[in-house]
């Protein structure tokens, strides 16, 4: 196939051509799989999911300067995006998985090579492919699709920030050149704003400067036409043939320039408009039978309006029709996606121009990829989450991609030839004027009629379009109303249910209320009691406080007392010290006194011994005297006996005469004896008196000594105790002495008694009948 091209013109032919192209792609229905080598059979039956790529842009310089918090984290390896949300001081992380994830540091080149390059290959295989950029304004849709601002790069190289469009064009050229294939590439670039299509590649200048063109007609609105076979085509859309990758920037700049003018005029229109850049490639192929075939592939690159317009339109919809229209396409796109995901029967493609244009890309035979763009900033979080939800939902759309039917080259040439023929005939007729000839008046009349007819037709067409529009509007309204009524019905049901629930709840609440009331009463009673007890507690507390204060005073007094006591104890200690020293002194003195008293006692004992010796000697003397007197008495008694014997003889002879004598003698003897006994008794009495005297003296001394001892005892109890022991011992020894003395006395007495008994016995020898002797002896005793 030859490369076609030349001056682009908005001629009806080019319109027809594009219509044909679209029709063809629509026609591909029946001829599925003619060259479908890229699609496995299973895919055809089940379909292929829409591929969803997520791209997060880096923070802008301003955002970085302003320390904007980042709430998005991308995990490219796991193909996950996490959004951190803080609700009521709770951190909630939401994670979304996509087919591919490109973080803020990702490069244009990486995105293209990893995700778009395979799609370009499929386009070259004869598929129709569509790439959408979806996201909030300012998240990088245009950056991703077209690229940054850099236009020039080193000799033929693309700048690093080149977007998907230039890279795709470049790749197509590279591949086809490498294959030395025969091909042609044409592009169209249109904008959809407020449900009106604008050709961004149409020449600005009016073709006939003679006819004045109004300012607002500069951007000619173009109609979307049904091709009658389920497809649509854009009438009068300019197709630009591209011969090299370098040209693409001219085309983009041309389109962007148009958009920019519009932007200033129409208040940031670009964020509310969709732009569709389409690349159509015709490639010549040879079949096995050496037949030449034409393979057709189409790539649509769609830069959608800012997704924030969906939510915002919600508030305005109905109020301002225009505002509604602006976002109608985006809204319908959402509805179409929902319908496709939920497999609901009716998919509202026809509700907006965007969905009509891209019908085949959504649930059709086109391979579709959505690039969702987000910002990492916290201030965009709400929009980011809605984008993530939207994109995640779109993942479930299934398309059934099919390769476009290839056309025989001969058929294409035939088409072209017939067109050339027709053109030739026109030219020939014009030049040779050998067509039908009619008179000038008739011609003029016919022309006027024709013009009128055309005008009428145009008017009718416009009318029809208006009616169509009205119909669509009415249908929309009807749908909306139905939706509303369904919603209202649901709401009513829900409300009734709620009412029932509320009634139950009210009943429960009433019960609870009465319960609560009684509880409150109880509680009040309890509170009353509590208050009383609190009062009494407060009183108690006051009393306790007063007592505590007293106690504190007492304690301080106690402390002072303790202090004083300590002082006194100190004094006592020193006193005890002093007392101890005094005691030792006094004990020393006592010791001395005791030793002196022991010496004295020893002296006393010596004296007593001496006394006892003298007493014994005097006693001996007395005993001697007594012996002597007893001897005398014996002698006297012997003589008496002899005398008595003599007397008895005499008595025998004359008892009467001698009796008197005897009597006198006895009397004298008796008196002698009496005298003698008196002397002895006196001596003994004296002795005893002396003894008594010495004893009493001794006792006196002892008493004196005891007194002294008692005084000492007062000074020191222990010493006194020992002294008393000594005294007791002394007394004991004294007692022993006394008892000894008493026993000596008793012995003496016994000796005396014995002597007397002996004497008595001796007297008993005297005849019993001697009454007088007996009487005398008794008297003696
Ligand atoms: P949109 O088309 O979604 O409204 P733009 O493409 O106009 O957003 O991007 C807004 C700004 O952010 C532009 O200045 C663009 O250069 C910049 N930008 C967007 N994405 C990136 C990116 N991935 N890397 C660097 N800059 C970016
Ligand atoms: Mg943009």
């Amino acid at each position: 196939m030859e490369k076609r091209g030349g001056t682009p013109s908005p001629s009806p032919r080019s319109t027809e051509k594009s219509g044909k192209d679209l029709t063809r792609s629509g026609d591909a229905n029946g001829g599925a799989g003619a060259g479908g080598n890229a699609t496995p059979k299973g895919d055809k039956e089940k379909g292929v999911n829409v591929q969803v790529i997520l791209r997060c842009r880096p923070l802008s310089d301003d955002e970085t300067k302003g320390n904007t918090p980042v709430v998005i984290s991308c995990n490219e390896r796991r193909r996950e995006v996490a959004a951190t949300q803080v609700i009521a001081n709770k951190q909630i992380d939401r994670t979304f998985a996509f087919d591919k994830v490109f973080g803020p540091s990702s490069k244009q080149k990486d995105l293209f090579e990893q995700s778009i390059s395979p799609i370009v290959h499929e386009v070259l295989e004869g598929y129709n492919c569509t790439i959408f950029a979806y996201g909030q304004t300012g998240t990088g849709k245009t950056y991703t699709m077209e690229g940054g601002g850099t236009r020039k790069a080193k000799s033929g190289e693309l700048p690093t920030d080149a977007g998907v469009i230039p890279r795709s064009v470049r790749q197509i050229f590279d591949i086809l050149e490498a294959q030395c294939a025969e091909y042609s590439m044409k592009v169209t670039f249109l904008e959809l704003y407020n449900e009106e299509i604008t050709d961004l590649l149409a020449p600005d200048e009016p073709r006939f400067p003679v006819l004045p063109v109004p300012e607002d007609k500069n951007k000619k609105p173009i109609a979307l036409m049904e091709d009658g076979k389920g497809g649509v085509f854009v009438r009068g859309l300019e197709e630009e043939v591209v011969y090299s990758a370098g040209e693409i920037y001219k085309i983009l700049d041309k389109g962007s320039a148009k958009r920019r003018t519009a932007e200033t005029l129409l208040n940031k229109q670009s964020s509310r408009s969709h732009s569709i850049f389409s690349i159509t490639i015709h490639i010549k192929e040879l079949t096995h039978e050496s037949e030449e075939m034409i393979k057709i592939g189409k790539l649509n690159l769609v830069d959608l309006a800012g997704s924030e317009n969906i939510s915002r339109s919600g508030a305005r919809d109905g109020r301002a029709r225009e505002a509604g229209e602006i976002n109608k396409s985006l809204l319908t796109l959402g509805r179409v996606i929902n319908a496709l995901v939920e497999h609901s029967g009716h998919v509202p493609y026809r509700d907006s121009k965007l969905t009509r244009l891209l019908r085949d890309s959504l649930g059709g035979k086109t391979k579709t990829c959505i690039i969702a763009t987000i910002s990492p900033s916290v201030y965009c979080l709400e929009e980011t989450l809605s984008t993530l939800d939207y994109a995640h939902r779109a993942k479930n759309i299934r398309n059934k991609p099919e390769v476009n039917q290839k056309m025989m080259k001969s058929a294409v040439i035939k088409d072209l030839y017939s067109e050339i023929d027709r053109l030739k005939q026109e030219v020939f007729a014009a030049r040779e004027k050998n067509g039908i000839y009619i008179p000038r008046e008739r011609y003029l009349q016919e022309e006027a009629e024709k013009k009128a007819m055309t005008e009428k037709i145009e008017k009718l067409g416009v009318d029809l379009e208006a009616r169509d529009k009205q119909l669509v509007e009415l249908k929309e309204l009807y749908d909306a109303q139905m939706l509303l009524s369904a919603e209202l019905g649901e709401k009513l049901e829900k409300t009734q249910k709620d009412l029932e629930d509320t009634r139950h709840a009210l009943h429960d609440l009433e019960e609870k209320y009465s319960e609560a009331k009684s509880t409150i009463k109880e509680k009040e009673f309890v509170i009353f009691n509590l208050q009383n007890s609190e009062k009494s507690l407060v009183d108690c507390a006051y009393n306790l406080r007063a007592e505590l204060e007293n106690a504190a005073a007492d304690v301080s007094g106690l402390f002072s007392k303790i202090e004083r006591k300590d002082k006194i104890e100190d004094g006592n200690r020193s006193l005890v010290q002093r007392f101890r020293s005094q005691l030792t002194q006094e004990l020393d003195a006592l010791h001395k006194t005791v030793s002196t008293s022991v010496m004295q006692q020893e002296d006393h004992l010596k004296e007593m011994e001496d006394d006892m010796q003298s007493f014994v000697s005097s006693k001996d003397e007395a005993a001697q005297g007594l012996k002597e007197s007893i001897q005398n008495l014996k002698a006297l008694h012997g003589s008496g006996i002899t005398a008595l014997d003599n007397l008895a003889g005499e008595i025998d002879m004359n008892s009467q005469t001698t009796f008197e004598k005897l009597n006198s003698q006895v009397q004298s003897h008796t008196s002698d004896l009496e005298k003698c006994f008196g002397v002895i008794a006196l001596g003994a009495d004296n002795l005893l008196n002396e003894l008594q005297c010495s004893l009493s003296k001794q006792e006196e001394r002892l008493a004196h000594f005891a007194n002294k001892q008692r005084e000492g005892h007062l000074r020191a109890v222990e010493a006194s105790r020992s002294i008393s022991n000594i005294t007791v011992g002394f007394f004991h020894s004294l007692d022993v002495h006394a008892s000894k003395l008493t026993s000596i006395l008793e012995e003496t007495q016994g000796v005396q008694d014995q002597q007397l008994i002996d004497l008595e016995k001796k007297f008993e020898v005297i005849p019993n009948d001697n009454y007088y002797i007996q009487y005398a002896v008794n008297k003696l005793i």
Side-chain angles (χ1 to χ4, degrees):
M1 184 183 170
E2 278 176 24
K3 290 180 184 175
R4 294 194 302 122
T7 334
S9 69
S11 67
R13 260 171 293 168
S14 66
T15 307
E16 272 168 34
K17 196 98 220 115
S18 60
K20 257 185 205 163
D21 284 350
L22 281 161
T23 317
R24 271 182 208 133
S25 57
D27 273 350
N29 268 333
N37 47 358
T39 318
K41 215 183 166 200
D43 279 0
K44 246 181 272 167
E45 281 155 16
K46 286 189 208 159
V48 183
N49 277 57
V50 165
Q51 196 191 354
V52 180
I53 297 167
L54 186 111
R55 187 181 203 185
C56 180
R57 73 159 166 82
L59 284 179
S60 68
D61 289 346
D62 286 349
E63 285 171 330
T64 317
K65 265 183 227 157
N67 282 333
T68 307
V70 170
V71 289
I72 300 295
S73 56
C74 298
N75 190 331
E76 295 186 8
R77 203 174 46 76
R78 295 182 61 181
R79 302 169 184 180
E80 277 178 0
V81 177
T84 309
Q85 216 175 348
V86 177
I87 299 170
N89 288 335
K90 257 192 189 170
Q91 186 180 319
I92 300 164
D93 278 355
R94 288 186 65 193
T95 310
F96 299 83
F98 295 101
D99 296 307
K100 275 257 154 57
V101 168
F102 293 93
S105 55
S106 63
K107 299 275 162 290
Q108 296 277 60
K109 189 172 173 245
D110 301 332
L111 183 125
F112 180 78
E113 279 174 5
Q114 290 176 32
S115 304
I116 311 300
S117 180
I119 297 173
V120 172
H121 276 284
E122 292 191 331
V123 170
L124 293 175
E125 293 294 338
Y127 283 96
N128 286 349
C129 298
T130 302
I131 299 167
F132 287 102
Y134 179 93
Q136 191 187 356
T137 301
T139 51
K141 294 186 295 295
T142 310
Y143 181 85
T144 303
M145 293 313 253
E146 295 178 21
T150 325
R151 287 289 182 252
K152 277 177 199 153
K154 284 171 269 163
S155 56
E157 294 260 317
L158 287 175
T160 47
D161 63 355
V164 169
I165 295 174
R167 281 177 197 273
S168 302
V169 173
R170 178 64 181 243
Q171 196 181 20
I172 291 166
F173 275 116
D174 283 353
I175 292 170
L176 292 176
E177 291 295 333
Q179 289 172 353
C180 296
E182 268 186 58
Y183 63 92
S184 81
M185 187 201 281
K186 19 180 206 176
V187 297
T188 60
F189 198 6
L190 63 84
E191 184 182 48
L192 187 63
Y193 173 74
N194 199 14
E195 286 303 284
E196 274 175 10
I197 295 169
T198 314
D199 186 353
L200 293 176
L201 298 183
D204 288 342
E205 265 80 27
R207 274 231 273 160
F208 306 105
V210 229
L211 300 170
V213 177
E215 270 295 300
D216 59 336
K217 286 273 170 77
N218 202 7
K219 269 177 75 190
K220 288 189 293 180
I222 300 170
L224 197 61
M225 306 291 279
E226 303 283 331
D227 62 1
K229 291 168 190 169
V232 285
F233 69 92
V234 187
R235 200 181 63 183
L237 188 66
E238 196 71 38
E239 281 185 326
E240 197 119 339
V241 179
V242 190
Y243 297 104
S244 72
E247 270 180 71
I248 204 73
Y249 279 121
K250 259 193 276 168
I251 294 163
L252 279 176
D253 285 344
K254 199 169 154 188
S256 309
K258 241 185 176 172
R259 267 186 112 176
R260 256 203 306 281
T261 7
E263 201 171 285
T264 43
L265 289 172
L266 292 165
N267 184 25
K268 296 267 171 195
Q269 178 187 333
S270 86
S271 74
R272 299 190 204 159
S273 71
H274 315 279
S275 76
I276 305 175
F277 188 93
S278 300
I279 305 168
T280 314
I281 313 145
H282 290 81
I283 309 161
K284 195 178 90 178
E285 258 188 353
L286 276 179
T287 60
H288 295 299
E289 296 86 39
S290 298
E291 223 178 335
E292 290 186 330
M293 301 288 281
I294 303 296
K295 190 164 66 175
I296 303 157
K298 194 171 181 187
L299 179 63
N300 298 310
L301 299 148
V302 188
D303 187 353
L304 290 170
S307 59
E308 71 278 5
N309 290 313
I310 302 183
S311 40
R312 277 177 212 161
S313 77
R316 290 183 202 163
D317 207 11
R319 255 190 266 163
R321 205 185 91 81
E322 197 195 352
E325 291 276 55
I326 288 165
N327 308 300
K328 190 170 179 182
S329 283
L330 210 53
L331 278 171
T332 312
L333 182 65
R335 284 200 205 112
V336 165
I337 289 175
N338 280 347
L340 287 170
V341 171
E342 284 156 15
H343 303 292
S344 54
H346 174 66
V347 184
Y349 291 112
R350 292 192 54 79
D351 290 2
S352 80
K353 284 191 176 155
L354 181 75
T355 46
R356 277 171 81 194
L357 272 170
L358 300 170
R359 173 176 194 156
D360 204 43
S361 307
L362 299 158
K365 293 175 300 252
T366 301
K367 288 202 165 185
T368 305
C369 168
I370 296 176
I371 304 174
T373 58
I374 54 169
S375 149
S377 156
V378 71
Y379 306 116
C380 300
L381 185 58
E382 204 184 324
E383 282 299 336
T384 301
L385 285 172
S386 105
T387 301
L388 288 168
D389 276 331
Y390 192 97
H392 201 256
R393 236 177 131 62
K395 254 176 68 173
N396 298 317
I397 303 173
R398 277 172 177 270
N399 285 347
K400 289 173 183 157
E402 281 175 20
V403 169
N404 291 321
Q405 193 186 27
K406 287 174 186 170
M407 285 173 76
M408 301 276 280
K409 189 184 172 184
S410 50
V412 178
I413 291 171
K414 217 174 144 190
D415 273 4
L416 288 172
Y417 271 130
S418 56
E419 204 180 322
I420 289 168
D421 276 347
R422 197 169 44 82
L423 286 169
K424 264 184 185 166
Q425 276 172 22
E426 274 179 28
V427 171
F428 186 74
R431 200 192 317 130
E432 300 293 321
K433 295 191 174 79
N434 64 353
I436 304 157
Y437 181 79
I438 42 167
R440 188 177 165 79
E441 288 77 34
R442 200 181 149 195
Y443 171 74
L444 285 175
Q445 195 194 339
E446 272 182 8
E447 276 298 295
E449 270 172 22
K450 218 169 128 186
K451 211 179 167 189
M453 290 270 271
T454 322
E455 271 172 14
K456 206 177 168 186
I457 287 169
E458 260 179 29
K459 215 180 149 194
L460 279 172
V462 169
D463 250 25
L464 190 70
E465 219 170 293
R467 290 271 158 88
D468 269 354
K469 240 182 184 173
Q470 223 175 349
L471 188 73
V472 168
E473 271 167 33
L474 279 171
K475 205 176 162 242
E476 262 171 33
L477 205 70
Y478 172 74
D479 281 351
Q481 287 293 333
M482 284 300 275
L483 216 77
L484 201 72
S485 70
E487 269 175 29
L488 279 174
E490 259 175 40
K491 263 188 197 163
L492 184 72
E493 222 168 87
K494 215 180 139 206
T495 315
Q496 269 172 351
K497 219 173 166 188
D498 281 355
L499 188 71
E500 198 65 32
D501 289 350
T502 316
R503 225 173 258 152
H504 284 304
L506 186 72
H507 188 67
D508 288 352
L509 274 176
E510 270 170 359
E511 271 176 19
K512 272 185 195 158
Y513 174 68
S514 57
E515 264 175 42
K517 240 182 172 175
S518 57
T519 323
I520 284 169
K521 260 184 201 163
E522 275 172 29
K523 290 228 165 121
E524 269 174 357
F525 181 68
V526 173
I527 286 167
F528 178 72
N529 282 354
L530 275 175
Q531 272 172 344
N532 281 352
S533 54
E534 205 178 287
K535 257 183 217 160
S536 56
L537 273 175
V538 167
D539 290 345
C540 269
Y542 276 127
N543 291 348
L544 274 175
R545 195 172 144 179
E547 270 172 35
L548 267 175
E549 273 166 3
N550 289 348
D554 286 356
V555 166
S556 60
L558 194 70
F559 274 122
S560 58
K561 243 182 208 172
I562 285 168
E563 239 166 74
R564 268 184 279 137
K565 195 196 106 188
D566 282 349
K567 265 184 209 161
I568 291 167
E569 262 178 6
D570 284 344
N572 278 350
R573 219 167 279 139
S574 58
L575 255 173
V576 165
Q577 207 75 28
R578 260 185 286 142
F579 173 72
R580 194 176 284 156
S581 58
Q582 257 181 16
L583 193 72
T584 39
Q585 279 175 8
E586 283 187 6
L587 274 174
D588 282 346
L590 187 73
H591 191 70
K592 275 178 201 159
T593 332
V594 166
S595 55
T596 47
S597 68
V598 164
M599 271 170 37
Q600 275 177 353
Q601 271 191 3
E602 273 172 4
D603 290 350
H604 280 304
L605 279 173
K606 250 180 206 163
E607 273 174 32
M608 261 167 74
E609 222 174 61
D610 291 350
D611 284 351
M612 285 303 282
Q613 228 131 25
S614 62
F615 172 73
V616 167
S617 59
S618 65
K619 202 73 182 165
D620 271 352
E621 276 170 22
Q624 210 67 38
L626 211 63
K627 234 182 217 169
E628 274 172 18
S629 54
I630 285 166
Q631 218 101 35
N632 288 341
L633 205 67
K634 251 179 197 170
L636 203 68
H637 187 74
S639 61
I641 293 293
T642 45
L644 276 171
D645 282 342
N646 294 337
L647 213 61
E650 282 177 27
I651 291 167
D652 281 338
M653 291 170 280
N654 74 19
S655 56
Q656 235 38 24
T657 55
T658 59
F659 183 68
E660 271 178 355
K661 273 184 191 174
L662 190 74
N663 211 10
S664 65
Q665 270 180 348
V666 165
Q667 264 175 349
S668 69
H669 277 297
T670 307
S671 64
D672 280 351
L673 268 171
E674 259 177 353
K675 274 178 196 164
C676 179
F677 276 120
V679 169
I680 290 165
L682 208 74
D685 273 350
N686 284 346
L687 201 67
L688 276 170
N689 276 349
E690 267 174 41
L691 259 172
Q692 214 106 33
C693 209
S694 77
L695 268 173
S696 65
K697 262 184 193 169
Q698 208 80 325
E699 258 172 85
E700 253 173 49
R701 273 182 198 167
L702 276 172
H704 182 66
F705 179 71
N707 274 348
K708 269 188 183 173
Q709 290 283 56
R710 224 168 274 138
E711 274 169 32
H713 172 81
L714 279 175
R715 283 192 211 140
V717 179
E718 269 120 313
S720 129
R721 215 172 269 160
S722 66
I723 286 166
S724 76
N725 281 350
I726 294 165
T727 317
V728 167
F730 178 67
F731 272 112
H732 180 71
S733 65
L734 214 65
D735 278 348
V736 169
H737 282 302
S739 63
K740 270 184 187 168
L741 273 176
T742 322
S743 65
I744 290 168
L745 271 175
E746 271 168 0
E747 256 181 40
T748 321
Q749 196 78 39
V751 171
Q752 276 187 356
D753 283 348
Q754 197 59 45
Q755 281 175 347
L756 278 173
I757 287 162
D758 286 347
L759 211 64
E760 216 174 351
K761 275 177 186 169
K762 275 176 188 167
F763 271 106
E764 273 173 357
V765 181
I766 301 167
N768 283 349
D769 48 350
N770 198 334
Y771 169 76
Y772 292 103
I773 290 171
Q774 192 77 33
Y775 171 76
V777 167
N778 277 350
K779 233 184 165 178
L780 252 174
I781 291 161

